Amino acid sequence: MKTVSTQTPARLSELAGALYTDGPWLKRTLQIHRPRICPFEVLIAAVPEGARVLDAGCGSGLFLGLLARAGRISHGFGFDASTEALTLANQMKARHPQGELLDFVHLDAAQPWPQGDFDVVSVIDLMHHVPEDQQRTVIHEAARRVKPGGLLLYKDMAADPRWLAWASILHDLVFARQWISIRPYPAIKSWLEEAGLVERQHARITMYWYGHEMGVFEKPPAEETAAA
């Protein structure tokens, strides 16, 4: 996976600062500085140029906003269960130079997902907020929205070493007021393989005291599936 050299955490934080100028100070600040603790430069580089992207659990829209600023998407569609986060996402969209490429809707990941298939489906820091008994269903739903030849981009907090996992748990306890459940990456990989996707890239990344585990999965083109 090749990272775009111009997209450094500092640069992405600067871009986020230009996008998030409205709304509650704390929530804006969390968006602005999130690229310093989450590897968005790697995630952005994994998205093919001109992609149509579905971002599940989009939060305040940071990933789609940065993708649009990088010129990597033709359209970004995000959904989230938090009306507060979506208010901030739509405020960001209103001042975004490419805001016409973005759409955000209120929807819980356990509800029926938007119809259609996408070049890329991103599931970034969503899974640890999903109840354990619903996680497999959500992963399969994400896989169904990937078009043949398309990608599923998965990133969540690392389940080990335990001290890194506890740092993430405490972070969400303070900022999201939620006790999260981190599903180990091998389980996610096995669920996506059940759904017919193939792992193309896997990476473990540590930024300060935050451990991240990510994977890029491809849905084989229709002709390959038929041949098999």
Side-chain angles (χ1 to χ4, degrees), residues 149-222:
L151 301 175
L152 187 145
L153 181 56
Y154 178 86
K155 204 290 291 180
D156 216 296
M157 312 316 297
D160 61 85
R162 288 304 297 169
W163 74 271
L164 284 177
W166 274 106
S168 299
I169 290 169
L170 292 174
H171 175 99
D172 275 81
L173 197 59
V174 171
F175 291 106
R177 294 187 290 277
Q178 182 181 10
W179 185 265
I180 64 173
S181 175
I182 302 175
R183 178 71 66 172
Y185 179 82
I188 301 297
K189 179 183 176 182
S190 69
W191 292 340
L192 288 169
E193 289 174 343
E194 284 177 359
L197 274 64
V198 179
E199 184 187 63
R200 297 303 188 198
Q201 181 73 34
H202 172 239
R204 292 175 60 93
I205 302 167
T206 301
M207 301 178 74
Y208 297 102
W209 48 88
Y210 296 97
H212 306 276
E213 198 143 21
M214 65 169 288
V216 179
F217 295 81
E218 181 183 16
K219 178 175 285 188

Side-chain angles (χ1 to χ4, degrees), residues 81-128:
S82 170
T83 55
E84 189 176 23
L86 290 173
T87 296
L88 195 62
N90 281 306
Q91 289 173 331
M92 179 272 291
K93 172 185 172 177
R95 68 177 298 107
H96 198 297
Q98 293 83 32
E100 72 279 359
L101 302 180
L102 306 176
D103 286 296
F104 300 103
V105 299
H106 180 251
L107 183 70
D108 190 282
Q111 295 176 307
W113 284 34
Q115 294 301 306
D117 52 12
F118 296 81
D119 301 305
V120 176
V121 175
S122 53
V123 183
I124 298 172
D125 292 336
L126 167 65
M127 199 52 49
H128 61 260

Side-chain angles (χ1 to χ4, degrees), residues 28-135:
R28 286 189 288 113
T29 300
L30 289 173
Q31 298 305 308
I32 292 168
H33 293 291
R34 192 175 170 208
R36 299 181 184 276
I37 61 172
C38 178
F40 280 109
E41 73 279 9
V42 181
L43 296 167
I44 290 169
V47 176
E49 291 186 9
R52 184 168 175 262
V53 178
L54 174 65
D55 189 20
C58 65
S60 296
L62 178 60
F63 183 51
L64 291 180
L66 293 175
L67 282 174
R69 285 296 283 128
R72 298 192 76 85
I73 59 174
S74 61
H75 183 254
F77 189 96
F79 69 87
D80 200 90
S82 170
T83 55
E84 189 176 23
L86 290 173
T87 296
L88 195 62
N90 281 306
Q91 289 173 331
M92 179 272 291
K93 172 185 172 177
R95 68 177 298 107
H96 198 297
Q98 293 83 32
E100 72 279 359
L101 302 180
L102 306 176
D103 286 296
F104 300 103
V105 299
H106 180 251
L107 183 70
D108 190 282
Q111 295 176 307
W113 284 34
Q115 294 301 306
D117 52 12
F118 296 81
D119 301 305
V120 176
V121 175
S122 53
V123 183
I124 298 172
D125 292 336
L126 167 65
M127 199 52 49
H128 61 260
H129 294 294
V130 176
E132 289 186 354
D133 61 350
Q134 298 177 19
Q135 290 178 349

Side-chain angles (χ1 to χ4, degrees), residues 148 196 219-228:
K219 178 175 285 188
E223 58 270 19
E224 289 186 15
T225 304

